[in-house]
Amino acid sequence: MNADLFSNSSSSNSKQRTVLTIYSHADDEVLPAAGTLRLMSLAGWKVRCLILTDGNLSRSSIKGQRHEEAEAAGKIIGAIYEFYALQECNFSTQEVIRVTEAAIQRIQPDLIITHAPQSEKYGHRDHEVCSVAVSNVATRKNIPLWFSAPPVFLRGFEPNFFVDISSVIEDKVAAIGCYESESEKTFMQLDAILVLSRFWARELGQKDGYFEAFEISRHCVDARFFTALASR
């Protein structure tokens, strides 16, 4: 899928479309989706990234560093960030539901992207709670919802939508590189980023290129989607 399919309609009565990402921690948004968000931004979408925690359990001892790193990443991918201070590893589903409902009311997103459901056995407890809560709200409010790939332990993740990010792979790497406080994590390393992006390409039988993978939980399209397809 290329940037054309993310394009806003040229019709004068068509509002600019907005994607809202909701993730537990700053850096969760760029690892699986920086390339896709960059393509959306280039195609005219508003990109809003909501981060639930303030990084108080971060490897960094500098208060607020994760927020500063996120803002730097946002300049690269074309995103505006919004930060909350829910208690890391201890926030509840109801807290996330309240935050999500309030954000939707203010931002009116056309699409939401969040963590893929993944039990604590394989993934991060915060990711699972966030996914469950955001899914609950998106379903009740009938908003299209995509789950992004976990950075590690892909068990249970069944992608059915892939985005070719080859044209913006350098932007993805640069955005992830903004998170210097997390750079020692193995999945933040350059080789890991490129290998996973190539893995998704191979899943599609592509010999070349870099891709990001998503699992579409719910999605609806209008005539603009088919117009974009026809113009490729």
Side-chain angles (χ1 to χ4, degrees), residues 20-32 37 47-56 58 64-71 73-74 77 79-88 91 95-96 99-100 103 106-107 113-115 126-127 130 134 179:
L20 170 64
T21 75
I22 303 176
Y23 286 100
S24 303
H25 320 97
D27 79 6
D28 289 340
E29 79 291 0
V30 292
L31 281 164
L37 297 178
V47 179
R48 302 290 297 270
C49 294
L50 189 156
I51 306 297
L52 296 175
T53 63
D54 61 6
N56 60 304
S58 170
Q65 181 173 351
R66 288 284 284 280
H67 288 188
E68 293 176 4
E69 292 169 342
E71 296 283 6
I77 63 177
I80 296 173
Y81 279 72
E82 185 173 317
F83 303 100
Y84 286 78
L86 302 187
Q87 189 175 356
E88 200 166 348
F91 58 72
E95 285 180 295
V96 181
V99 167
T100 301
R106 285 184 290 101
I107 297 170
I113 303 176
T114 191
H115 300 283
D126 289 357
H127 297 182
C130 176
V134 174
Y179 288 100

Side-chain angles (χ1 to χ4, degrees), residues 6 18-24 28-29 32-38 40 45 47-50 100 109-116 130-131 134-135 138 143-149 161 163 212-219:
F6 293 133
T18 300
V19 56
L20 170 64
T21 75
I22 303 176
Y23 286 100
S24 303
D28 289 340
E29 79 291 0
T36 299
L37 297 178
R38 178 58 177 153
M40 286 182 160
W45 283 61
V47 179
R48 302 290 297 270
C49 294
L50 189 156
T100 301
D110 299 279
L111 169 67
I112 295 175
I113 303 176
T114 191
H115 300 283
C130 176
S131 179
V134 174
S135 299
I143 299 173
L145 176 66
W146 298 358
F147 296 129
S148 61
F161 186 75
V163 178
E212 289 175 341
F214 301 87
E215 184 177 343
I216 296 181
S217 171
R218 55 189 300 111
H219 197 81

